[in-house]
Amino acid sequence: MSQIWVRPERVQQNPLFTDDYQAILSNDEIDTVVEVLGGLDPAYDLIKAALEHNKNVVTANKAVVARHLTEFTTLAREHHVKFYFESSVGGGIPWIINLERALRIDQIDSIHGIFNGTSNFILDEMTETGAPFDVVLAEAQRRGYAEAVPSADLDGDDIENKLCISASIAYDTEIKPNDNLLKFGIRNVTAADVSFFKKHHWVVKLIGRSFLQDNRYNFVIEPTLYASGKIEAGVHQNYNYVGLRGTTIGKLSFNGQGAGELPTAHALIQDLLDLELHMEHLNRAFQQPLELGNDSKLLDYIIRSEQDVAALLPDYEVTKEEADYWIVKQISASAAHKLIQQLSKTEKPLLAAISQQRS
Ligand code: HSE
């Protein structure tokens, strides 16, 4: 027995449609609810009610999972049902299941990658064609990659959700989206910036990264420059590239379509098959007490600004290239992001970390 909950105005369109959620909850023949609404309201209430009515829940909704992972996991355990959310991170990539699989053996101290298909599509098209930002954003929306609210893709909010979910699982702690997580998106990237990067054989990607050291984790989302030839530089279109580093497995990465209807549906169906086949996923308590710290790792950054960045950062080695591109050596993410917030009050500056990846 299947039913599809829809808004009242659509009920007549299909015999499976209903707007009566209570009837679904009280129907014993329905053992699983698949939530694909997106957003927090009413998704949070619907998922909670389903778990409380002893129904498994499968969801693609990263916003609600990132904020309520512990609560939903606990509820599912109490009600002897499952809460699976593979499609919430990395689209069609079997990421959560492999993260959990690695954790059966390893401790994981690093999560890293390209977690958003829309921003990757935009940066890739700008790099490949030289087209301006607005033109490629419109094309991403036309292809159905972009979120209804474009800021989720452009400002790193979508990556924040996905990195929160991934790092919470990896470190067995609770990390929810909040203002202390460092986040700078791609809204200010211009065709001139991309051209400047190309001259230096750099490719720009929007990266989410986190690593754990001595009970402190960092959490940064920012444009990052890769030498052409590095793996990240070769991730094209709406593809994601997400990875972990574990004690015995070392660096383990996955590449695949991170956005789009079919890859997302693929991951949803995989979760449903796991339920059907009684395949247990890893159960975590998310109770490790860890602290956020974004000042331990130093990187070189490029900052585009009309202001005198060297004067604003007297304690750092800063050089200037071409028009307004400043190269700042060995600065922490927290110090670089503090500066960019200050610059953003009067202009549309750009910040990009220079990757030191060896592979
Ligand atoms: N808008 C998201 C993306 C969809 O572009 O990655 C998949 O989460």
Side-chain angles (χ1 to χ4, degrees):
M1 161 97 197
S2 299
Q3 288 207 293
I4 300 172
W5 181 82
V6 293
R7 313 227 178 239
E9 60 274 19
R10 297 187 56 206
V11 170
Q12 301 304 329
Q13 293 173 3
N14 186 309
L16 292 179
F17 286 0
T18 176
D19 61 350
D20 186 351
Y21 195 62
Q22 279 305 323
I24 291 177
L25 292 178
S26 53
N27 187 335
D28 288 340
E29 287 182 37
I30 295 176
D31 59 13
T32 301
V33 169
V34 180
E35 187 276 312
V36 284
L37 289 166
L40 300 177
D41 181 27
Y44 168 76
D45 290 331
L46 300 185
I47 292 174
K48 188 165 179 257
L51 294 168
E52 286 170 343
H53 283 76
N54 308 318
K55 299 195 187 300
N56 304 306
V57 171
V58 170
T59 179
N61 186 335
K62 54 242 159 174
V64 82
V65 177
R67 285 160 184 82
H68 301 285
L69 181 55
T70 311
E71 181 186 356
F72 291 156
T73 304
T74 307
L75 262 182
R77 195 182 306 125
E78 286 169 359
H79 288 266
H80 308 290
V81 290
K82 304 298 179 199
F83 174 65
Y84 292 167
F85 45 89
E86 179 61 68
S87 52
S88 65
V89 185
I93 299 173
W95 165 242
I96 300 290
I97 196 80
N98 280 300
L99 178 57
E100 292 177 342
R101 197 173 159 80
L103 283 162
R104 297 195 298 189
I105 296 172
D106 279 7
Q107 288 187 336
I108 291 177
D109 69 356
S110 172
I111 300 284
H112 167 273
I114 298 168
F115 285 88
N116 181 269
T118 304
S119 54
N120 198 58
F121 177 83
I122 292 171
L123 294 176
D124 186 49
E125 283 286 298
M126 289 177 78
T127 303
E128 295 293 314
T129 68
F133 182 87
D134 292 342
V135 171
V136 288
L137 170 60
E139 177 60 15
Q141 286 169 326
R142 194 188 68 73
R143 293 183 185 213
Y145 302 153
E147 299 294 315
V149 184
S151 64
D153 296 306
L154 306 183
D155 301 324
D157 302 349
D158 179 69
I159 300 177
E160 182 181 23
N161 289 332
K162 293 165 176 172
L163 195 55
C164 280
I165 296 168
S166 305
S168 293
I169 296 170
Y171 311 152
D172 197 14
T173 195
E174 185 173 73
I175 307 173
K176 294 184 179 189
N178 71 77
D179 290 344
N180 296 320
L181 305 178
L182 298 181
K183 203 168 44 166
F184 190 79
I186 63 166
R187 207 179 270 279
N188 294 353
V189 178
T190 64
D193 294 331
V194 171
S195 161
F196 173 77
F197 298 148
K198 267 185 149 173
K199 258 186 249 165
H200 288 78
H201 306 287
W202 280 321
V203 176
V204 63
K205 297 288 175 190
L206 184 58
I207 293 292
R209 59 184 167 88
S210 172
F211 74 85
L212 177 66
Q213 193 174 28
D214 303 330
N215 289 331
R216 280 166 76 84
Y217 65 91
N218 82 344
F219 191 110
V220 186
I221 296 159
E222 62 193 5
T224 304
L225 300 170
Y226 292 89
S228 43
K230 298 289 180 203
I231 293 177
E232 285 85 348
V235 178
H236 297 295
Q237 297 283 300
N238 64 329
Y239 276 67
N240 283 186
Y241 176 72
V242 291
L244 58 84
R245 190 177 57 206
T247 352
T248 66
I249 195 68
K251 202 174 160 203
L252 179 66
S253 304
F254 301 85
N255 178 219
Q257 286 192 74
E261 282 174 7
L262 291 178
T264 306
H266 176 106
L268 281 167
I269 303 291
Q270 292 283 11
D271 274 347
L272 289 171
L273 286 172
D274 282 359
L275 287 173
E276 182 74 15
L277 299 170
H278 302 289
M279 287 175 63
E280 292 277 334
H281 290 199
L282 189 76
N283 223 329
R284 307 232 94 187
F286 307 111
Q287 296 293 325
Q288 287 293 331
L290 303 177
E291 278 179 26
L292 175 67
N294 277 311
D295 43 18
S296 55
K297 188 174 167 66
L298 305 181
L299 285 175
D300 295 350
Y301 277 82
I302 298 258
I303 293 178
R304 176 185 32 77
S305 170
E306 295 157 5
Q307 298 179 53
D308 186 346
V309 169
L312 291 168
L313 294 175
D315 298 333
Y316 295 86
E317 184 186 336
V318 183
T319 51
K320 191 178 183 191
E321 279 204 34
E322 283 187 23
D324 293 324
Y325 296 99
W326 304 85
I327 299 177
V328 183
K329 296 273 185 200
Q330 297 301 290
I331 184 171
S332 69
S334 54
H337 282 244
K338 190 171 165 202
L339 174 70
I340 209 78
Q341 295 310 330
Q342 186 186 331
L343 298 172
S344 297
K345 290 179 187 156
T346 53
E347 58 174 320
K348 291 186 171 175
L350 183 69
L351 159 150
I354 303 174
S355 170
Q356 295 172 332
Q357 294 277 94
R358 284 192 296 274
S359 60

